[in-house]
């Protein structure tokens, strides 16, 4: 078997390259919807940061793009220890199998954008938003603080700000569209005694929280006993992977 593979190594490599080129051409020509209907695939989740998607099955091949942790890709086949994959930008290449965890089904790949959970105040959260809320309340529990509760109106303001940051490509507490966080709260009829805002741009929720906890000002908002309500928003970002906004208010 080894002799057969060795003797036919060139043919195998050429067939692999042709397969990748055909997949890439098909995608560019007919688009993602037709691709999904005509080519069988499974789904995978990237389990590391800054994963190179390459032109071939080996580290000697050139990178095409970088995949982020928790990013979903379509898996079309395997060459040795390397998967042939396609990302959401319709780019096709290979990644090493140890950096990709197969997903059970396509529904799992949409949990970042689908509404999947409700909290006690009947506010619907996405998977990312729910994860961040859980992590933050874990930190508060460690410090003998009560959990933050999600306020529906505050949640809407956080999503407005996150969308504004992503769509207008800026990173600041002061929005060119809505003004300061306090102006946003006032203009959306949200009453409070004290208020603050945390923002982050990161490839994962856990990494964003770690950055906040390593910053005194952000950490102080998370662990403040003056706040009892929050609004959390997470949106996709080309520049950062994810844009994250959290409002805090005390009443």
């Amino acid at each position: 078997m080894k002799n057969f593979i060795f003797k036919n190594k060139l043919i195998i490599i050429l067939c692999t390259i042709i397969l990748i080129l055909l997949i890439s051409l098909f995608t560019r020509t007919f688009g993602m919807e037709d691709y999904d209907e005509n080519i069988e695939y499974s789904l995978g989740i990237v389990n590391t940061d800054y994963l190179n998607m390459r032109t071939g099955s080996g580290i000697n091949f050139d990178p095409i793009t970088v995949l982020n942790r928790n990013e979903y890709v379509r898996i079309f086949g395997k060459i040795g220890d390397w998967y042939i994959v396609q990302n959401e930008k319709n780019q096709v290449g290979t990644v090493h199998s140890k950096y990709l965890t197969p997903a059970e089904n396509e529904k799992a790949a949409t949990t970042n954008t689908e509404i999947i959970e409700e909290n006690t105040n009947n506010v619907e959260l996405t998977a990312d938003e729910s994860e961040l809320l859980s992590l933050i309340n874990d930190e508060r529990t460690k410090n003998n603080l009560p959990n933050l509760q999600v306020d529906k109106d505050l949640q809407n303001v956080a999503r407005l700000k996150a969308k504004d940051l992503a769509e207008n490509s800026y990173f600041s507490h002061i929005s060119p569209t809505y003004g300061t966080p306090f102006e946003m709260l006032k203009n959306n009829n949200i009453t409070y005694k004290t208020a603050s805002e945390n923002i982050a741009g990161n490839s994962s929720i856990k990494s964003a929280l770690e950055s906040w906890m390593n910053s005194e000002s952000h950490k102080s908002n998370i662990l403040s006993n003056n706040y009892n309500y929050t609004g959390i928003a997470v949106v996709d970002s080309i520049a950062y992977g994810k844009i994250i906004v959290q409002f805090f208010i005390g009443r």
Side-chain angles (χ1 to χ4, degrees):
M1 182 67 179
K2 290 183 178 178
N3 290 334
F4 173 81
I5 293 174
F6 180 79
K7 291 179 181 178
N8 294 275
K9 187 175 181 181
L10 181 59
I11 296 174
I12 293 171
I13 291 173
L14 287 173
C15 289
T16 299
I17 292 171
I18 291 171
L19 175 62
I20 292 174
L21 289 174
L22 286 173
I23 292 174
S24 181
L25 177 62
F26 193 93
T27 305
R28 288 196 299 270
T29 305
F30 296 99
M32 183 66 73
E33 291 182 2
D34 289 328
Y35 195 9
D36 291 354
E37 292 171 5
N38 290 286
I39 297 181
E40 186 176 345
Y41 64 87
S42 59
L43 289 167
I45 310 168
V46 177
N47 58 32
T48 187
D49 295 317
Y50 310 116
L51 175 62
N52 284 320
M53 186 168 79
R54 299 182 180 274
T55 56
S57 55
I59 60 174
N60 294 326
F61 288 89
D62 293 334
I64 298 171
T65 188
V66 175
L67 303 176
N68 295 309
R69 184 185 293 273
N70 296 327
E71 186 172 342
Y72 285 82
V73 295
R74 289 167 173 82
I75 303 173
F76 294 97
K78 196 174 183 184
I79 307 166
D81 293 328
W82 293 74
Y83 283 124
I84 301 172
V85 301
Q86 178 199 36
N87 65 8
E88 290 303 319
K89 296 178 182 177
N90 291 354
Q91 295 171 302
V92 175
T94 65
V95 296
H96 197 282
S97 57
K98 72 178 180 179
Y99 300 121
L100 208 60
T101 302
E104 290 184 0
N105 51 48
E106 186 168 1
K107 184 178 179 181
T110 62
T111 55
N112 281 341
T113 54
E114 288 182 354
I115 294 171
I116 65 165
E117 184 172 326
E118 292 188 0
N119 68 1
T120 55
N121 290 328
N122 295 318
V123 180
E124 295 174 330
L125 302 177
T126 66
D128 281 341
E129 292 163 354
S130 179
E131 179 185 359
L132 183 56
L133 176 64
S134 177
L135 290 172
I136 283 173
N137 279 335
D138 284 346
E139 293 295 334
R140 289 177 65 87
T141 299
K142 291 176 190 176
N143 288 271
N144 299 315
L145 294 168
N147 285 350
L148 293 174
Q149 298 297 315
V150 178
D151 178 270
K152 184 176 181 180
D153 294 330
L154 198 57
Q155 181 69 20
N156 291 336
V157 173
R159 286 176 175 165
L160 279 176
K161 180 62 177 286
K163 184 179 179 183
D164 187 48
L165 284 166
E167 290 183 351
N168 292 300
S169 302
Y170 74 97
F171 193 80
S172 170
H173 289 291
I174 302 175
S175 163
T177 310
Y178 302 110
T180 69
F182 308 104
E183 287 173 327
M184 288 191 73
L185 296 176
K186 179 180 178 181
N187 292 334
N188 285 275
N189 300 313
I190 294 176
T191 58
Y192 60 90
K193 292 180 181 178
T194 183
S196 192
E197 176 192 62
N198 280 356
I199 59 175
N202 211 299
S203 59
S204 76
I205 300 302
K206 288 183 179 179
S207 296
L209 179 63
E210 287 172 5
S211 296
W212 279 350
M213 294 303 290
N214 288 326
S215 161
E216 284 305 317
S217 60
H218 294 90
K219 180 179 178 180
S220 127
N221 287 336
I222 291 170
L223 299 182
S224 173
N225 200 30
N226 294 325
Y227 301 130
N228 48 9
Y229 290 96
T230 190
I232 295 172
V234 183
V235 299
D236 292 333
S237 163
I238 295 174
Y240 301 101
K242 299 177 189 294
I243 287 285
I244 303 160
V245 173
Q246 182 171 18
F247 273 88
F248 304 82
I249 61 170
R251 287 179 176 148

